[in-house]
């Protein structure tokens, strides 16, 4: 079945540590996205990528980095510069046309040790 | 920037009854898309319904329908014959053009409680 796989489901970060969240899709979608979800805040866009080897900052990119070396993969690194990383992170993808919805992974819950 | 406002943080409905969740948005575009997503306790984001702004007819998907008022920039979701499985967070989203592609702006969500 086609879909988006995020791993791990739960992740713990120590102070000063970088951690990487994985996102893989087999939907053959060009565009991929990372969102952060906090209680009462809805979803906020961190980074997005429309094609391989290209990505752009969203509204809250500070303290995060991404790469897009393959169409299927869009990993997100939460760096030590992100002072409040505890949140639920969702990865999404979509095909080109604007009427196509975004498909979401099951998310990763990141907490601070 | 296009903003999306969901003014009801929480709503409650009895099983088999009808409930309407409100959403308003701000935009200067004439053609755009709007979506409703459902997020159950499992935290999966599930597409409920979509609406194209240039279509006057309101979208319908089984028990879910929208009331799209373009001039008022309003996009409410009506759930008929509510079921216990409808209990979830519901997010309204506006699709906007971002560089050569698209992205979504989300509202803060409405938590729907369904009581027996």
């Amino acid at each position: 079945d086609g879909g988006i796989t995020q791993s791990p489901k739960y992740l713990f970060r120590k102070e000063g540590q970088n951690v990487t969240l994985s996102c893989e899709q087999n939907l053959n979608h060009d565009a991929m996205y990372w969102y952060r979800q906090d209680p009462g805040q809805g979803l906020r866009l961190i980074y997005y990528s429309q094609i391989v080897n290209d990505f752009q900052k969203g509204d809250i990119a500070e303290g995060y980095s991404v790469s897009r070396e393959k169409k299927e993969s869009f990993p997100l690194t939460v760096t030590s510069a992100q002072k409040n990383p505890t949140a639920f992170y969702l990865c999404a993808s979509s095909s080109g046309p604007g009427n196509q919805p975004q498909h979401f992974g099951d998310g990763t819950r990141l907490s601070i040790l | 920037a296009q903003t999306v406002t969901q003014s009801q943080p929480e709503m409650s409905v009895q099983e088999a009854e009808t409930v309407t969740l409100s959403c308003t948005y701000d935009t200067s575009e004439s053609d755009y898309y709007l979506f409703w997503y459902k997020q159950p306790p499992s935290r999966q984001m599930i597409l409920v319904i979509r609406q194209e702004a240039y279509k006057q007819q309101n979208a319908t998907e089984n028990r879910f329908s929208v009331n799209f008022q373009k001039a008022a920039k309003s996009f409410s979701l009506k759930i008929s014959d509510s079921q216990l499985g409808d209990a979830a967070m519901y997010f309204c989203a506006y699709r906007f053009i971002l560089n050569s592609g698209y992205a979504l702006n989300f509202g803060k969500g409405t938590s729907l409680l369904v009581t027996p």
Side-chain angles (χ1 to χ4, degrees):
Chain A
D1 288 339
I4 300 176
T5 301
Q6 287 188 242
S7 62
K9 193 171 179 71
Y10 300 96
L11 187 59
F12 297 91
R13 195 191 89 168
K14 295 180 181 179
E15 293 288 339
Q17 185 182 44
N18 293 353
V19 292
T20 297
L21 284 61
S22 171
C23 178
E24 303 277 334
Q25 55 100 358
N26 60 4
L27 299 167
N28 199 33
H29 286 170
D30 289 312
M32 296 187 75
Y33 309 83
W34 274 106
Y35 292 94
R36 171 178 171 142
Q37 186 176 20
D38 295 282
Q41 291 289 331
L43 278 70
R44 292 182 290 169
L45 184 64
I46 305 172
Y47 266 99
Y48 64 98
S49 169
Q50 304 290 357
I51 56 171
V52 175
N53 292 323
D54 184 60
F55 48 83
Q56 305 291 333
K57 292 181 179 180
D59 298 324
I60 54 166
E62 185 175 349
Y64 301 98
S65 66
V66 294
S67 63
R68 187 86 186 275
E69 297 175 1
K70 298 186 300 182
K71 188 175 184 177
E72 303 78 21
S73 179
F74 191 42
L76 173 74
T77 296
V78 184
T79 74
S80 57
Q82 173 49 246
K83 298 306 178 189
N84 184 23
T86 296
F88 188 64
Y89 292 86
L90 282 159
C91 178
S93 70
S94 68
S95 59
N99 65 334
Q100 295 304 307
Q102 291 185 6
H103 296 260
F104 287 82
D106 289 343
T108 293
R109 175 72 184 176
L110 176 62
S111 302
I112 293 293
L113 281 178
Chain B
Q2 297 85 355
T3 56
V4 178
T5 302
Q6 293 179 250
S7 58
Q8 307 152 316
E10 293 179 352
M11 291 283 285
S12 181
V13 63
Q14 266 193 313
E15 218 175 346
E17 296 296 310
T18 296
V19 65
T20 299
L21 310 183
S22 67
C23 172
T24 58
Y25 56 93
D26 183 29
T27 185
S28 57
E29 296 179 333
S30 59
D31 190 21
Y32 47 87
Y33 292 88
L34 296 160
F35 302 87
W36 277 98
Y37 281 89
K38 170 185 177 181
Q39 188 179 44
S42 66
R43 305 203 76 170
Q44 279 185 302
M45 290 289 285
I46 302 165
L47 176 70
V48 175
I49 200 165
R50 79 185 86 172
Q51 174 76 43
E52 302 173 54
Y54 69 87
K55 286 189 176 179
Q56 302 219 348
Q57 186 173 7
N58 289 326
T60 299
E61 290 285 345
N62 301 315
R63 298 183 294 107
F64 298 87
S65 61
V66 299
N67 182 6
F68 174 51
Q69 302 288 329
K70 191 173 183 180
K73 298 179 182 174
S74 170
F75 181 57
S76 60
L77 176 69
K78 185 171 85 170
I79 306 174
S80 304
D81 185 26
S82 296
Q83 300 174 359
L84 294 177
D86 295 333
M89 283 291 289
Y90 286 83
F91 292 96
C92 176
Y94 175 101
R95 183 228 70 178
F96 64 100
I97 295 172
L98 192 56
N99 294 325
S100 58
Y102 305 95
L104 295 175
N105 263 344
F106 287 85
K108 293 186 177 182
T110 296
S111 177
L112 179 66
L113 174 67
V114 182
T115 57

